[in-house]
Amino acid sequence: MNSLQSLPNFAAVILAAGKGTRMKSDLPKVLHCVANRPMVAHVTHTASQLNPSHIVIVTAPQMESVLHAAQRITPTCLHAIQPQQLGTGDAVKAAQSALKNHKDATLVLYGDTPLIRPETLAQMLQATLHSDIVVLGMRPKDPASYGRLIVNEAGELEEIIEFKDADEEIRAINLCNSGVMAISGKAKLFDLLAQLTNNNANGEYYLTDVVSIARSKGLHCSVVEATEAELMGVNSRAELAQAEAIFQHHMRQHAMQNGATLIAPETVYFSADTQIGRDVIIQPNVYFGEDVTVGNHVEIRMSCHIEGAHIGDDCIVGPFARLRPGTTLAGDNKVGNFVELKKAQLDMGAQASHLSYLGDAFIGKDSNIGAGTITCNYDGYHKFETHIGANAFIGSNSALVAPVTIGDGAIIGAGSVITKDVTPDALALTRANQHEKIDGAKAFRIKKNQGNS
Ligand code: UD1
Ligand code: CA
């Protein structure tokens, strides 16, 4: 964000006390994920990009899981508990003690509105330099039950009227309240909140009423508008899928703008934190889980599942490869079809081209892992490590029983079961010697054929 310098200091308050009953879930609504990141963490992450002095998440009691999920992405988040869900105004009041010495602007956000962009929030905060309260409005195709924004001829916001409290004339207004609000320090948010009543159709303390209270004190209120897609709130699984689709679309566009080729973009799934380099080619049906980085000049072929993995420059991954957490490809690596890597580090140029499991393993520079190699890393109780040096050659269908070290330049004969360390440059093999009986096959067939006649 380059316009950061001109932003006023502010605190962000994120409302997340709602149960979200329409999700039909045991999980609080805001913990449902978009691009593998809980919705509430999308909001805290977006707010944190603008450097707020505080981020306070308001939840109902017994919702520490919401705070913890947000803190994984935004460690500085604070928690406020709203004992009873008495309305959005009451929810913001719950943040008061967490913001005791806070005198600057306050930005109120909802935890279930994950697509909001930092640019929009910056625009609102900038507007608080001239306006005491700034409300984020939208003009949805179907204004449905949103609160309506009443704006006068001068373009000033006069009032917000909730759908349930509105008559037909008000309901015909299509400028709606998204719920996001920025309140300048001068407007003294908590003084305004102290004046709220619950004398309305819902019997709730409406945050939206601070606008008319502010107006009655001669304060100035205004509207900033954004698109309906950016401001969509998630209330159901279907809306969650819609938010996911919008977010994935943005991630794909972003990857392409940064120089990646997506052959079939709509089949590639990113996580919110996926980082893709330049000149990366991604074939169809690739899934990126959390915590993946991909360097430059990388080709990811069809149908790979990649999570918790760091792929260096000039690698070829897949088709059909699975990279699990703790995997690093240093660069110039090849990981081919039906190869599974878990906590595996491949040094520069190391290759595993076919049908392998490499878990808890280090593979040295330029080493080659033959087809069907398995690191036996688990004895049913504990995990053990395999260390393979540089320029080693592991013959096909070998089992490396960990803990075990294969020295630099060693060769493992195909089909070996290696249980002891192998010294550098040694040839190790555990196969039984091959025996041959001249004409033995012929003799066998003659015997069998005699039996049949
Ligand atoms: C609210 C706005 C409405 C706006 C709409 C946009 C009010 C009074 N109305 O209505 O103008 O068009 O959002 O979506 O503000 N929450 C709490 N504690 C509470 C109540 C709510 O934390 O006691 C949280 C919810 O978890 C949710 C958010 O506040 O994240 C909004 O609450 P909700 O009840 O959905 O508000 P609406 O009635 O939709
Ligand atoms: Ca709502």
Side-chain angles (χ1 to χ4, degrees):
M1 298 282 326
N2 35 19
S3 54
L4 259 184
Q5 292 84 341
S6 51
L7 287 185
N9 291 330
F10 77 102
V13 175
I14 295 162
L15 306 189
K19 286 186 250 355
T21 45
R22 276 184 285 161
M23 296 298 282
K24 307 271 167 60
S25 177
D26 296 334
L27 208 60
K29 176 167 76 174
V30 296
L31 290 188
H32 286 266
C33 288
V34 169
N36 276 319
R37 174 177 285 172
M39 290 194 277
V40 68
H42 277 274
V43 180
T44 59
H45 180 71
T46 303
S48 72
Q49 286 173 265
L50 305 175
N51 287 330
S53 58
H54 309 71
I55 300 179
V56 184
I57 301 177
V58 179
T59 73
Q62 267 116 45
M63 284 173 76
E64 280 71 22
S65 56
V66 169
L67 177 73
H68 297 147
Q71 283 178 334
R72 272 193 67 213
I73 304 295
T74 315
T76 54
C77 287
L78 304 172
H79 193 194
I81 294 174
Q82 183 191 20
Q84 280 181 290
Q85 279 55 74
L86 303 179
T88 49
D90 181 70
V92 177
K93 254 191 224 172
Q96 185 163 13
S97 60
L99 296 178
K100 256 197 315 284
N101 300 316
H102 177 70
K103 300 260 180 300
D104 303 315
T106 303
L107 185 64
V108 179
L109 296 153
Y110 290 173
D112 61 0
T113 308
L115 304 178
I116 193 152
R117 296 174 313 129
E119 291 80 1
T120 303
L121 302 182
Q123 199 189 340
M124 293 183 69
L125 287 164
Q126 254 144 15
T128 63
L129 297 172
H130 316 287
S131 192
D132 298 298
I133 294 183
V134 180
V135 170
L136 187 57
M138 59 181 174
R139 297 180 190 273
K141 271 200 205 75
D142 174 15
S145 58
Y146 287 117
R148 303 300 204 264
L149 302 183
I150 317 300
V151 174
N152 66 20
E153 297 87 56
E156 297 160 330
L157 177 64
E158 290 284 0
E159 195 181 354
I160 304 178
I161 301 183
E162 286 305 294
F163 180 79
K164 279 197 186 166
D165 301 296
D167 59 23
E168 285 311 310
E169 198 185 333
I170 300 288
R171 288 180 182 186
I173 294 171
N174 74 342
L175 182 59
C176 294
N177 177 26
S178 69
V180 181
M181 196 184 277
I183 303 95
S184 70
K186 192 186 122 209
K188 297 207 166 43
L189 172 63
F190 293 104
D191 291 354
L192 299 176
L193 291 173
Q195 294 186 38
L196 293 180
T197 65
N198 63 353
N199 183 16
N200 52 49
N202 275 329
E204 287 185 3
Y205 295 92
Y206 291 162
L207 173 64
T208 46
D209 283 348
V210 299
V211 170
S212 50
I213 296 171
R215 291 293 296 139
S216 70
K217 295 181 162 195
L219 296 175
H220 184 271
C221 304
S222 62
V223 179
V224 161
E225 286 190 43
T227 64
E228 179 181 15
E230 178 179 350
L231 302 180
M232 83 168 280
V234 171
N235 296 300
S236 64
R237 305 269 182 169
E239 286 170 355
L240 185 67
Q242 240 177 302
E244 180 79 41
I246 295 170
F247 195 81
Q248 290 295 338
H249 177 75
H250 291 322
M251 295 283 300
R252 292 165 189 146
Q253 295 299 315
H254 181 74
M256 291 190 278
Q257 274 154 17
N258 287 335
T261 294
L262 275 57
I263 293 171
E266 64 287 356
T267 70
V268 175
Y269 283 83
F270 292 112
S271 288
D273 61 354
T274 307
Q275 290 177 35
I276 306 286
R278 268 168 74 102
D279 289 318
V280 171
I281 297 175
I282 304 176
Q283 292 187 359
N285 297 320
V286 174
Y287 178 88
F288 293 94
E290 253 193 310
D291 189 26
V292 175
T293 59
V294 176
N296 299 324
H297 308 285
V298 170
E299 192 174 330
I300 301 186
R301 296 183 175 162
M302 281 253 322
S303 298
C304 290
H305 191 283
I306 301 172
E307 55 186 331
H310 302 283
I311 300 174
D313 296 342
D314 304 305
C315 293
I316 299 176
V317 175
F320 305 104
R322 177 163 185 214
L323 274 52
R324 293 172 52 199
T327 292
T328 344
L329 307 185
D332 204 17
N333 304 102
K334 190 158 181 266
V335 175
N337 34 245
F338 308 106
V339 172
E340 175 179 344
L341 303 181
K342 190 224 65 170
K343 277 195 191 156
Q345 272 176 273
L346 272 60
D347 203 352
M348 297 289 292
Q351 304 199 354
S353 295
H354 339 261
L355 302 161
S356 280
Y357 171 69
L358 302 172
D360 304 301
F362 174 87
I363 321 295
K365 191 167 176 298
D366 293 327
S367 284
N368 185 77
I369 306 296
T373 299
I374 306 290
T375 56
C376 309
N377 60 331
Y378 185 51
D379 63 2
Y381 295 89
H382 299 288
K383 299 278 170 65
F384 301 96
E385 288 177 10
T386 299
H387 191 282
I388 299 175
N391 297 302
F393 183 93
I394 312 298
S396 296
N397 202 34
S398 295
L400 308 177
V401 182
V404 70
T405 296
I406 314 291
D408 291 350
I411 296 177
I412 305 299
S416 295
V417 177
I418 299 296
T419 54
K420 287 181 286 206
D421 290 355
V422 176
T423 42
D425 292 320
L427 167 65
L429 65 167
T430 65
R431 265 179 258 150
N433 288 332
Q434 183 169 326
H435 297 284
E436 185 168 319
K437 267 169 103 176
I438 301 294
D439 288 336
K442 210 185 205 174
F444 172 78
R445 281 193 293 271
I446 291 168
K447 194 171 149 203
K448 286 292 178 187
N449 289 338
Q450 277 168 354
N452 287 342
S453 58

